Amino acid sequence: MVSISPRLRDSLDYEDPEETDPRFSIGFRSVSLASTEYEYLELQGDHRTWSGSPDPAASRRRRRQRTSDRLLLEHAVPFQYRTIADGDVFRVVTMLPGERSKPIQCRLSWENSRKPRYDYRCLSYCWETTERDSAILVDGYRFPVTQNLHNALLSLRNVKSELRIWIDQICINQEDHEERSYQVSIMKHIFTNAKEVIVWLGEADDKSAKLCEYARKMPRGEHVVRDSPKNALKRILGQRQLQDALQKLLARKWFTRVWVIPEVALARFNTVAIGNELISWDNMVRLIRDTPMPEATGFDKQSAILGNPRQRIAILSQMVASQRENLYHTDITQLLILAKSSEATDLRDKVYAFDGITLLRTQIDYRDLPDYIRSVERVYLNIAHHYIDSITSEDYYSRWHGLTEVRRTQQLMSILYSAGKLHQHLDLPSWVPDWTFAWYQAPLWCKADSNMAAFSGRDGWSAGIRSGYRAGGEKLETFEFVDGAAGRRRLRVSALLVDTVLQVGALAGETGACMRLLTQGQISQASTPDAIDLPTFSYGRDHFITEHGLHGLATTGIAPGDRIAVFLGGDVPFVLRPNRDQDGDDQIFVLLCECFISSKGIMGGEHTQNNWTLAEDIILK
């Protein structure tokens, strides 16, 4: 049973933590590691001395490690958290020195997130699984950990010196929702005040050591003479070998997790670890940026969808630049791209993970803690509502970032392009993004390019990925909330209803008709810069024909009778489904998805420019 915190207050800002919080006093731990109670856990049967390493044989090391792990799992007393970590305090792991074949021994101590007393580091890694099938000793007790964390600790442990490091799996009681809420609320301070964040990408593979060597020796700057270094680099890895090794690196699970985003973005300094190899974060980013990847044929997830590995690295790099310039990062387009492309054990973390790196709150009130009891649907609805309110109603958001009206409009529209009933698993209003529904199509409303060049603290990155379409022009009109049935919020927007879907898929004459129009040049390439890449943009989409005889592409699931609408300020049209309410209001629609129409006038914005006075307010439910 976890006891209540012994402190009287949750904040230590105005008091000496060593005098007010008994957790900072000497001896506030479960047991001393000086105890001889676990002497029987020492390895038996092989006490030979080896030169340079305790055991040079890899197979023997693994066997001895398995033996020590088994003894830990079978005999040591299980660890129990006895005090809740709340307010501004958090736990820090001190990993004791040891040889690779010995059990990992740690002790826990308390630290103040706002005024840390001693230096510490943070570990950024991927759980990979919730199964904790390995074990370490924490304060003399058996503590189960995942295999990937165990591998990381083995690689990071020093044979002579201690390592103070924050590790979420150990320092947070993951079974206590209240403690998790407190710890998420101070995560910004934990990572900002850390001396260094160590990014553990996993165990070494057949090319990772050479890849790290290549990254360390790459020339820096545009004015470096590259001929000689380039020849030296080729001796490390040839071009094809380099591309293969980099693709393997980017396929590692670490690049898909949501919590690694704030961990890297908030750090003073990042070091990347792969097995026993270490490189700086900047070296890894330069390697990814300067290595051209082979052209893919057909639909390629590594380059076609939003949140692909290279794009994630680019967004993370801009967030790092924001941190270095003491700026909060609040580019909603980037938050949407990262959240929907990330994985999280708790689905609420897809928005809570951004709590410490943005001016935007993830709670209704700034005094509230992240709520792990509230339903996922309610959390997503609240955050979408707050994102929209922040742009349309709260001046501080625009003033802080110097957003123009065009940029404000672009960020609002990115919320709607991330939503739609055909892109939702959860029961949400159609205008709310479902962060559990990952990107799986090439977007029409923006580009999936990495945009590696825009590494500034300000929100310049998103402008570089905007699509070439301007269907709704640049001017935003109505964009506001209205109350709906059963207290559910609806969104009122200004739109031009330009056409109606007549036939879909195989019923639309020949399904390749639209594609032939594109390839034969009957649709201007200037007005359709992205749709020329046919295999990429047709993946996951159906062809359709409208009542006016136009061809188009839209997500599978549209049906005859659905309306094609252009929202004022939007880049590409939407598909809407009429949804008349009990009062007979025929201006209520369900947002389905974005779409492409084979009309230069519509996609280029001429139709909106000539008919904007005919726009009407519609309601999305």
Side-chain angles (χ1 to χ4, degrees):
M1 179 66 67
V2 175
S3 63
I4 302 299
S5 167
R7 293 184 294 106
L8 298 178
R9 301 182 185 177
D10 284 341
S11 175
L12 301 175
D13 284 341
Y14 306 106
E15 52 196 37
D16 186 346
E18 295 190 6
E19 295 181 1
T20 59
D21 193 335
R23 287 176 290 189
F24 293 128
S25 62
I26 297 175
F28 193 85
R29 281 197 298 272
S30 305
V31 70
S32 170
L33 286 173
S35 170
T36 59
E37 182 178 355
Y38 298 103
E39 285 185 347
Y40 64 88
L41 291 179
E42 292 294 328
L43 295 172
Q44 306 294 324
D46 190 351
H47 302 288
R48 291 173 292 175
T49 301
W50 294 84
S51 173
S53 170
D55 192 347
S59 60
R60 186 178 293 113
R61 285 200 304 270
R62 288 194 294 268
R63 184 169 63 252
R64 295 176 67 176
Q65 187 63 57
R66 287 195 298 269
T67 301
S68 65
D69 289 347
R70 180 176 55 80
L71 290 172
L72 278 175
L73 290 170
E74 292 178 355
H75 300 291
V77 177
F79 177 89
Q80 288 187 343
Y81 294 96
R82 302 185 182 278
T83 308
I84 190 172
D86 58 1
D88 292 327
V89 300
F90 66 100
R91 301 181 184 93
V92 175
V93 170
T94 299
M95 184 163 57
L96 303 183
E99 298 173 346
R100 175 139 186 133
S101 60
K102 299 295 181 67
I104 294 172
Q105 299 188 62
C106 305
R107 62 173 182 265
L108 286 177
S109 58
W110 295 97
E111 196 50 273
N112 182 3
S113 63
R114 297 179 185 269
K115 302 174 184 177
R117 299 172 298 168
Y118 307 107
D119 286 342
Y120 63 91
R121 291 168 170 79
C122 290
L123 181 65
S124 176
Y125 69 105
C126 175
W127 282 48
E128 292 191 350
T129 176
T130 57
E131 295 295 325
R132 301 193 184 196
D133 48 7
S134 294
I136 63 175
L137 284 174
V138 175
D139 287 341
Y141 294 90
R142 174 175 57 84
F143 192 101
V145 296
T146 61
Q147 184 61 51
N148 190 44
L149 175 56
H150 194 268
N151 293 339
L153 295 178
L154 286 174
S155 292
L156 297 176
R157 181 171 58 176
N158 194 289
V159 295
K160 294 182 179 180
S161 60
E162 296 180 346
L163 174 65
R164 296 188 83 238
I165 188 166
W166 180 90
I167 305 168
D168 63 345
Q169 200 172 134
I170 303 173
C171 297
I172 301 176
N173 183 357
Q174 300 292 333
E175 303 301 321
D176 190 319
H177 293 299
E178 181 182 2
E179 178 169 307
R180 286 174 59 196
S181 297
Y182 276 110
Q183 294 296 291
V184 169
S185 70
I186 63 172
M187 204 67 70
K188 169 181 172 57
H189 306 297
I190 294 176
F191 279 89
T192 300
N193 290 322
K195 180 179 180 180
E196 175 190 25
V197 170
I198 301 173
V199 176
W200 168 255
L201 295 185
E203 289 287 87
D205 60 26
D206 56 341
K207 291 290 191 302
S208 59
K210 289 187 175 181
L211 191 65
C212 290
E213 182 185 0
Y214 193 101
R216 287 191 291 264
K217 293 183 178 180
M218 286 185 71
R220 301 170 182 265
E222 297 180 359
H223 304 292
V224 176
V225 179
R226 294 174 178 265
D227 290 342
S228 179
K230 198 170 185 180
N231 292 333
L233 292 175
K234 285 183 177 179
R235 287 194 290 270
I236 301 173
L237 284 173
Q239 184 68 12
R240 185 59 186 173
Q241 291 176 319
L242 175 63
Q243 292 173 342
D244 290 344
L246 189 54
Q247 284 183 321
K248 279 186 177 181
L249 178 74
L250 294 176
R252 290 179 181 246
K253 292 287 289 182
W254 182 89
F255 291 95
T256 68
R257 302 300 293 180
V258 71
W259 272 112
V260 306
I261 298 165
E263 292 167 358
V264 169
L266 293 170
R268 296 181 189 176
F269 184 78
N270 291 302
T271 298
V272 179
I274 311 174
N276 294 323
E277 296 289 332
L278 297 175
I279 58 173
S280 71
W281 172 264
D282 290 341
N283 277 344
M284 186 182 75
V285 171
R286 192 169 67 252
L287 174 69
I288 296 171
R289 181 192 63 200
D290 295 345
T291 301
M293 300 307 291
E295 291 289 334
T297 58
F299 182 77
D300 177 28
K301 289 185 177 181
Q302 285 274 4
S303 59
I305 63 173
L306 290 174
N308 60 69
R310 294 174 70 90
Q311 192 177 61
R312 287 174 69 89
I313 291 296
I315 298 176
L316 272 171
S317 297
Q318 188 190 333
M319 290 183 173
V320 171
S322 298
Q323 170 71 6
R324 290 173 179 173
E325 296 177 25
N326 295 318
L327 296 175
Y328 279 97
H329 182 90
T330 53
D331 190 325
I332 289 176
T333 304
Q334 292 185 342
L335 300 185
L336 287 163
I337 290 174
L338 289 178
K340 283 175 68 72
S341 63
S342 297
E343 297 176 2
T345 303
D346 192 310
L347 298 177
R348 301 168 189 84
D349 285 334
K350 282 176 170 276
V351 295
Y352 284 156
F354 300 103
D355 184 66
I357 59 176
T358 175
L359 278 173
L360 301 171
R361 300 188 302 272
T362 54
Q363 295 84 49
I364 298 175
D365 190 284
Y366 73 94
R367 292 164 295 186
D368 291 343
L369 295 172
D371 189 348
Y372 285 95
I373 303 300
R374 185 176 296 158
S375 70
V376 176
E377 290 86 351
R378 175 55 59 181
V379 171
Y380 288 2
L381 177 59
N382 287 345
I383 192 63
H385 187 283
H386 182 64
Y387 280 0
I388 292 173
D389 266 350
S390 297
I391 301 178
T392 58
S393 304
E394 300 182 21
D395 290 338
Y396 80 89
Y397 179 86
S398 295
R399 285 201 310 270
W400 183 274
H401 291 273
L403 294 182
T404 64
E405 197 62 33
V406 172
R407 298 281 297 284
R408 284 162 57 102
T409 299
Q410 182 187 358
Q411 293 201 19
L412 282 172
M413 288 299 165
S414 70
I415 297 175
L416 299 186
Y417 289 126
S418 303
K421 276 297 178 186
L422 297 182
H423 299 146
Q424 291 177 336
H425 292 306
L426 303 177
D427 181 19
L428 294 165
S430 64
W431 53 268
V432 175
D434 182 350
W435 278 273
T436 70
F437 198 102
W439 306 106
Y440 72 100
Q441 296 172 318
L444 296 167
W445 60 279
C446 68
K447 303 172 186 174
D449 296 344
S450 62
N451 196 18
M452 283 278 191
F455 291 166
S456 65
R458 295 289 177 177
D459 295 337
W461 182 90
S462 295
I465 66 163
R466 192 175 183 187
S467 77
Y469 305 119
R470 295 294 181 269
E474 304 287 3
K475 187 177 179 181
L476 182 72
E477 292 289 340
T478 304
F479 206 101
E480 62 186 11
F481 290 111
V482 295
D483 292 328
R488 299 194 77 170
R489 281 295 179 96
R490 297 176 177 179
L491 188 64
R492 180 187 284 129
V493 297
S494 296
L496 279 169
L497 299 174
V498 298
D499 214 334
T500 302
V501 175
L502 180 64
Q503 295 178 327
V504 179
L507 298 177
E510 294 186 31
T511 59
C514 178
M515 299 299 96
R516 286 200 303 277
L517 287 174
L518 288 170
T519 55
Q520 293 168 6
Q522 296 183 38
I523 302 174
S524 169
Q525 291 192 15
S527 67
T528 59
D530 292 333
I532 299 302
D533 190 358
L534 307 182
T536 295
F537 290 92
S538 61
Y539 178 83
R541 292 188 170 98
D542 283 342
H543 304 148
F544 65 86
I545 296 177
T546 70
E547 290 182 350
H548 293 164
L550 298 175
H551 291 259
L553 287 172
T555 302
T556 300
I558 64 169
D562 291 339
R563 303 298 302 274
I564 307 299
V566 173
F567 292 0
L568 297 190
D571 287 347
V572 299
F574 289 91
V575 181
L576 309 178
R577 183 160 292 168
N579 194 281
R580 183 174 299 177
D581 66 3
Q582 295 177 351
D583 298 328
D585 189 345
D586 58 0
Q587 294 303 98
I588 295 180
F589 296 88
V590 172
L591 176 66
L592 296 181
C593 61
E594 62 175 347
C595 72
F596 167 81
I597 291 290
S598 60
S599 165
K600 179 180 178 180
I602 293 177
M603 299 302 293
E606 291 86 353
H607 180 84
T608 298
Q609 185 177 359
N610 297 332
N611 298 279
W612 69 271
T613 57
L614 301 178
E616 51 191 316
D617 287 352
I618 64 172
I619 294 175
L620 303 178
K621 64 174 292 186

